[in-house]
Amino acid sequence: MKANASWLAQFFLESQNDEQQGEQCRQMVVSIAEAILPLIQMGVPEKVVHASAHLLLSLLTTVRSPHLMHLPSIINFYSQVQQIQLLNMEVQLLVYRSLSHYLLLPCPKRPDSLQEWDMRSSNHASLIAQLMAPFR
């Protein structure tokens, strides 16, 4: 699936011009996100966690679908980011980079006025605060 991230990003961009295709693409992106998020946790085989973390990075940095920000499973994942510290270092870095880049990089084909920079900035500050909490 990771190999198809650039194709999915292109499909996402092109589907923005067609309401029906746009909805299909949004549903596909949401389905992928909701399928991989539960796999990034303790108790899941390490190879599956690692592959899921790579797919999350591809999805959040290549496709950057704006509606994922409001998805309950993504919001919950952000709020429980400290639990990721229990996984191996490479998976942690992949997940942290995914979450940070998603908040920092603009959503494609979306005007600056609709980027929700204030909310994204606040969420990024919260993410960094959670990650830094053990060091205080």
Short mmCIF file of all heavy atoms in Angstrom, two decimals, residues 25 28 32 86 111 121 123-124 127 130 135:
data_model
loop_
_atom_site.label_atom_id
_atom_site.label_comp_id
_atom_site.label_asym_id
_atom_site.label_seq_id
_atom_site.Cartn_x
_atom_site.Cartn_y
_atom_site.Cartn_z
N CYS A 25 -12.93 8.99 -2.67
CA CYS A 25 -11.54 9.11 -2.25
C CYS A 25 -11.46 9.38 -0.75
O CYS A 25 -10.63 8.80 -0.05
CB CYS A 25 -10.84 10.21 -3.04
SG CYS A 25 -9.08 10.29 -2.71
N MET A 28 -12.05 6.25 1.09
CA MET A 28 -10.90 5.35 0.99
C MET A 28 -9.79 5.78 1.95
O MET A 28 -9.23 4.95 2.68
CB MET A 28 -10.37 5.35 -0.46
CG MET A 28 -9.30 4.32 -0.69
SD MET A 28 -8.64 4.19 -2.38
CE MET A 28 -9.58 5.27 -3.38
N ILE A 32 -8.42 3.65 5.19
CA ILE A 32 -7.01 3.29 5.37
C ILE A 32 -6.52 3.77 6.73
O ILE A 32 -5.90 3.01 7.49
CB ILE A 32 -6.14 3.89 4.24
CG1 ILE A 32 -6.49 3.23 2.91
CG2 ILE A 32 -4.65 3.72 4.55
CD1 ILE A 32 -5.90 3.93 1.70
N LEU A 86 6.35 3.47 23.98
CA LEU A 86 6.59 2.08 24.38
C LEU A 86 7.06 1.22 23.21
O LEU A 86 7.50 0.10 23.41
CB LEU A 86 5.32 1.49 25.00
CG LEU A 86 4.75 2.23 26.21
CD1 LEU A 86 3.42 1.62 26.62
CD2 LEU A 86 5.73 2.20 27.37
N PRO A 111 -7.14 26.63 -0.34
CA PRO A 111 -6.66 28.00 -0.12
C PRO A 111 -6.16 28.19 1.32
O PRO A 111 -6.59 27.50 2.24
CB PRO A 111 -7.88 28.87 -0.39
CG PRO A 111 -9.04 27.97 -0.54
CD PRO A 111 -8.55 26.58 -0.66
N SER A 121 -1.74 24.83 14.54
CA SER A 121 -0.64 25.31 15.38
C SER A 121 -0.85 24.90 16.84
O SER A 121 0.07 24.44 17.52
CB SER A 121 -0.53 26.83 15.27
OG SER A 121 0.45 27.32 16.15
N ASN A 123 -2.68 22.37 17.90
CA ASN A 123 -2.53 20.91 17.98
C ASN A 123 -1.06 20.51 17.94
O ASN A 123 -0.65 19.57 18.63
CB ASN A 123 -3.30 20.22 16.86
CG ASN A 123 -4.79 20.28 17.06
OD1 ASN A 123 -5.28 20.61 18.13
ND2 ASN A 123 -5.53 19.98 16.01
N HIS A 124 -0.26 21.21 17.14
CA HIS A 124 1.16 20.89 17.06
C HIS A 124 1.86 21.23 18.38
O HIS A 124 2.69 20.44 18.86
CB HIS A 124 1.82 21.63 15.89
CG HIS A 124 3.18 21.10 15.58
ND1 HIS A 124 4.32 21.67 16.08
CD2 HIS A 124 3.58 20.04 14.83
CE1 HIS A 124 5.36 21.00 15.65
NE2 HIS A 124 4.94 19.99 14.89
N LEU A 127 1.02 18.50 20.73
CA LEU A 127 1.78 17.30 20.40
C LEU A 127 3.20 17.40 20.95
O LEU A 127 3.69 16.48 21.62
CB LEU A 127 1.82 17.10 18.88
CG LEU A 127 2.73 15.99 18.35
CD1 LEU A 127 2.21 14.62 18.78
CD2 LEU A 127 2.84 16.07 16.83
N GLN A 130 3.26 17.08 24.72
CA GLN A 130 3.10 15.69 25.15
C GLN A 130 4.40 14.91 25.00
O GLN A 130 4.77 14.11 25.86
CB GLN A 130 2.02 14.98 24.32
CG GLN A 130 0.61 15.34 24.67
CD GLN A 130 -0.34 14.47 23.85
OE1 GLN A 130 -0.34 13.25 23.99
NE2 GLN A 130 -1.11 15.11 22.98
N PHE A 135 10.46 14.67 29.84
CA PHE A 135 11.76 15.30 30.05
C PHE A 135 11.72 16.49 31.00
O PHE A 135 12.72 17.13 31.24
CB PHE A 135 12.37 15.74 28.71
CG PHE A 135 12.51 14.60 27.77
CD1 PHE A 135 11.66 14.45 26.68
CD2 PHE A 135 13.49 13.63 27.97
CE1 PHE A 135 11.80 13.39 25.80
CE2 PHE A 135 13.62 12.56 27.10
CZ PHE A 135 12.77 12.44 26.02
#
